[in-house]
Amino acid sequence: MEQKEQLYEGKAKKVYATSDPNLVIVDYKDDATAFNGLKKGTIVGKGVINNRMTNYLMKKLEAEGIETHYVEELSERRTLVKHVEIVPLEVIMRNVVAGSLSKRTGLPEGAKPKMPVLELYYKSDELGDPMINEDHALAFGWATREELDSIAATARKVNDILTEFFASVGVDLIDFKIEFGRYQGRIVLADEISPDTCRFWDSKTKEKLDKDRFRRDMGGVEGAYHEMMRRIGLKE
Ligand code: UDP
């Protein structure tokens, strides 16, 4: 598939047009940001890892009946995906208290809610992605009732599948962020699933194996990303 003009550049990825208007190419960068872009840096090799890990997980979810935007891995950093219209919502699923939920509730990191918690945030860099609820999404036209129902059901199913998979490789899936797109009238899972967008803790030691090592200046950032590839069984 021929790569054409750049359509978009985000914080971690670039998107290019192709000769097929229904398909685009995503190109993963090593650039890392945190705190709504206030902290900037580079995680060497991250683009390759996030591309390959996302594709591996998207294929696994497809095999379980979840439609994703994944089409074909083109190179170590580039993937052909369906050209979706992104729903302007970040969907966060939480199995264990961490990060902003710990700040908001006063509960310690590591506390276990009675059930997985789904949260919605409005995708807006200018506003710093504020947390919203379903009424806001409906009232302001960001998604329809049917879309929200599909998104919530899919997010919970993704959580079940990924939690079980990561547990099998000795990793606790603490929380993660996913995004959805509209494609030919359907809601499909889009964007990425990687150590940038998930919290992964070693099941035994509770060592952090994700982007929190970058956010919190803990060191060992690249090593954690490589360790997650090794756990999943992806050769580098
Ligand atoms: N997350 C993300 N992008 C965002 C905000 C959050 O990928 O813009 C992920 C984050 O990596 C974590 C989960 O969503 O796995 C929950 O994040 P939280 O709300 O605790 O915010 P953070 O501590 O990342 O600011």
Side-chain angles (χ1 to χ4, degrees):
M1 185 62 62
E2 195 196 335
Q3 182 168 313
K4 299 217 162 170
E5 77 275 11
Q6 184 178 308
L7 298 176
Y8 170 81
E9 177 161 11
K11 294 190 283 263
K13 296 186 280 297
K14 294 179 186 173
V15 179
Y16 295 92
T18 69
S19 41
D20 183 340
N22 291 316
L23 300 174
V24 293
I25 293 170
V26 291
D27 188 346
Y28 287 73
K29 305 188 283 185
D30 284 352
D31 299 356
T33 61
F35 313 116
N36 199 31
L38 278 177
K39 182 180 169 79
K40 288 192 174 70
T42 302
I43 301 175
V44 176
K46 171 173 90 78
V48 173
I49 290 176
N50 288 3
N51 181 44
R52 294 188 55 215
M53 194 182 296
T54 294
N55 293 341
Y56 176 86
L57 296 170
M58 291 283 185
K59 281 188 253 183
K60 185 176 284 296
L61 293 168
E62 287 271 359
E64 301 275 352
I66 292 172
E67 183 175 2
T68 77
H69 72 165
Y70 175 77
V71 177
E72 184 190 359
E73 191 167 288
L74 299 176
S75 67
E76 57 178 16
R77 287 179 187 271
R78 293 181 318 128
T79 295
L80 188 64
V81 301
K82 295 169 187 162
H83 191 181
V84 303
E85 179 195 357
I86 290 286
V87 177
L89 302 175
E90 297 198 344
V91 180
I92 293 189
M93 289 295 315
R94 303 178 176 275
N95 300 306
V96 175
V97 173
S100 70
L101 182 61
S102 171
K103 290 208 183 74
R104 205 174 330 116
T105 58
L107 293 164
E109 283 214 317
K112 187 100 180 33
K114 292 191 208 304
M115 51 176 266
V117 175
L118 184 156
E119 296 173 349
L120 295 176
Y121 293 79
Y122 176 48
K123 258 176 85 71
S124 162
D125 283 338
E126 305 88 84
L127 301 176
D129 299 342
M131 186 160 74
I132 58 152
N133 64 25
E134 288 199 342
D135 264 21
H136 295 109
L138 292 169
F140 305 126
W142 297 327
T144 66
R145 180 72 265 161
E146 293 68 34
E147 288 174 338
L148 289 177
D149 290 345
S150 166
I151 285 169
T154 305
R156 291 189 189 280
K157 189 168 171 194
V158 167
N159 187 40
D160 290 345
I161 295 164
L162 294 184
T163 297
E164 182 181 335
F165 167 66
F166 283 111
S168 77
V169 298
V171 172
D172 293 349
L173 178 61
I174 304 302
D175 57 30
F176 60 92
K177 185 265 302 181
I178 48 179
E179 297 183 23
F180 292 87
R182 301 181 178 103
Y183 188 73
Q184 298 175 354
R186 304 186 301 274
I187 286 288
V188 307
L189 182 63
D191 196 44
E192 67 176 289
I193 307 173
S194 71
D196 273 15
T197 62
C198 302
R199 285 195 170 93
F200 298 127
W201 294 0
D202 179 275
S203 301
K204 286 210 183 75
T205 66
K206 307 299 175 192
E207 184 192 0
K208 295 186 196 309
L209 297 171
D210 57 57
K211 194 173 152 188
D212 268 349
R213 302 196 75 88
F214 169 79
R215 293 188 188 99
R216 303 179 188 191
D217 294 319
M218 298 170 74
V221 183
E222 280 89 357
Y225 280 64
H226 288 293
E227 176 62 14
M228 281 306 303
M229 287 292 272
R230 199 186 68 75
R231 292 289 177 101
I232 290 175
L234 288 170
K235 297 226 162 46
E236 295 186 74

